[in-house]
Amino acid sequence: MAIIKAFKAIRPAKDKAPFLASRSYEDYTVKELNAILTYNPFSFLHIINPGFKFDKKVSGGERLKLIRNRYLEFLEDEILIRDTQPSFYLYKIEKEDFSCCGLFCGTSVEDYKNNVIKKHEDTIKHRENLFAVYLKNVSFNAEPVLLTYPDNPTIGEIIGEVKNRDPEYRFSTTDKATHTLWTITREEDISKLQDEFSKIDSLYIADGHHRSASSMIFADKSKKGNPGHTGMEPYNYFMSYLIPESEIKIFEFNRLVKDLNGLTKEEFLIELDTYFKIEKKGNALFKPLEKHQFSMYLDGDFYALQLRKQIFKFTDALSRLDTQILYKTILEPILGISDLRKDKRIKYGFGKNNIFNMKDEIDKGNFMVGFGMVPVSIKELKDIADAGLVMPPKSTYIEPKIRSGLTIYEL
């Protein structure tokens, strides 16, 4: 039983929405960031990068205090407005090759604790605690957790009806995406959506594992510090963006490795022969076509590596995952990479030009060998989460990537 909650969002004034909503801070180059902060006074980046106003780099408690100050200034100047009634927010993103439509809502910390909201990645305690401190000091959350749910005809019908109404915002951004947002304020619609989601057994985290875990830490600490705790306080929920499984788009990460761990090319290929049938493809670009097939680029040539299934034994959902197979058959035993997060010899690539970039990096001599695979499927993601397992780092690159500041959840 999944619980979703309508909330009174803080969101951009109607004429400011195209200028305020921003990509994730890490997505910008230094040059882009400086240009936006210099020429766009309405960008949400001013809130999360408050030192720009003072031409000073700030960190720690000073930064958090200034983030809170900038946020309050945006409210006072009516760049941001506070909704007066609890709502759901329907948000659609349309690109040339991608479209999705989902709900901004509050989701339950208890559902996360009780595994109604399921995860497939490990989190790092230090990062969890950092964001929990951030939430405590700034008292808002502007970056939703991306959750997915099984396609549901009734939810689809309600969403379809809302999309026929006039939107609150519709604007385009420089990445040629169109953004449309509707507010869902009718009690009938809110009740129907809550009722339908209450029939769903599980929601799955697609992106935002650390934000979810941090929200739980923040909620637990807030509960302990509140003698009058009722369970209805805002801190008992965290903001999420819910979309159906059919609208999630999963891309693969390639693996690039700097050396062959002391092996010659010939020795390395002989080692691979234990678990793989190897077919040399030459210098023509080769991408794998199916599960348990890998592309490899080495010394100017592509190779197809086909897993020998009679040799490699599947024991659970994780063992069937291509990123795990690559780790257990090549990266760890042959190339000596045991820590996929910290080892400096490995790098991960993603994106539309993934295979071209991999080849280019190796041709330049920055890396010696690269591996590609087909993307993880939504079924594999769910199987891993249902089994209580976790994927290796950088197993999935998932769209949509949600802009910050379109809806803000106050804590």
Side-chain angles (χ1 to χ4, degrees), residues 16-173:
K16 303 296 192 304
F19 309 105
L20 187 135
S22 70
R23 305 196 311 269
S24 172
Y25 183 81
E26 291 79 12
D27 283 353
Y28 294 94
T29 65
V30 173
K31 188 174 182 181
E32 285 179 307
L33 194 61
N34 286 336
I36 293 169
L37 291 170
T38 300
Y39 297 110
N40 180 3
F42 306 122
S43 174
F44 186 75
L45 294 171
H46 281 285
I47 294 177
I48 57 176
N49 190 35
F52 182 82
K53 181 176 182 178
F54 305 101
D55 195 24
K56 178 186 175 184
K57 188 173 183 178
V58 293
S59 60
E62 182 182 33
R63 175 175 177 264
L64 298 180
K65 179 181 177 181
L66 290 175
I67 287 174
R68 180 68 183 169
N69 291 347
R70 295 291 81 71
Y71 171 69
L72 294 175
E73 281 181 8
F74 270 49
L75 277 168
E76 290 165 5
D77 294 340
E78 297 184 342
I79 298 169
L80 289 171
I81 59 171
R82 180 180 279 107
D83 276 345
T84 57
Q85 63 185 113
S87 306
F88 291 132
Y89 301 87
L90 183 66
Y91 174 48
K92 183 177 184 181
I93 307 171
E94 297 172 279
K95 295 183 181 180
E96 185 178 347
D97 58 349
F98 175 72
S99 175
C100 72
C101 190
L103 289 174
F104 287 119
C105 62
T107 46
S108 168
V109 168
E110 286 301 313
D111 279 355
Y112 177 78
K113 287 182 179 180
N114 297 330
N115 209 33
V116 174
I117 295 174
K118 295 186 175 183
K119 52 187 177 289
H120 65 267
E121 287 183 7
D122 268 335
T123 51
I124 301 169
K125 201 67 182 175
H126 174 65
R127 287 184 60 192
E128 292 177 14
N129 290 326
L130 275 180
F131 192 63
V133 170
Y134 174 92
L135 294 175
K136 178 182 177 182
N137 282 272
V138 306
S139 297
F140 69 82
N141 186 1
E143 295 188 1
V145 174
L146 179 62
L147 298 178
T148 187
Y149 61 90
D151 288 50
N152 179 296
T154 304
I155 294 173
E157 287 176 13
I158 299 169
I159 286 174
E161 291 174 6
V162 174
K163 285 163 66 175
N164 288 327
R165 303 170 193 168
D166 291 335
E168 186 71 11
Y169 311 132
R170 178 174 285 135
F171 60 91
S172 296
T173 44

Side-chain angles (χ1 to χ4, degrees), residues 284-297:
L285 292 173
F286 171 72
K287 293 188 72 173
L289 305 174
E290 58 187 10
K291 294 292 179 184
H292 311 327
Q293 184 185 64
F294 302 84
S295 64
M296 180 177 75
Y297 186 63

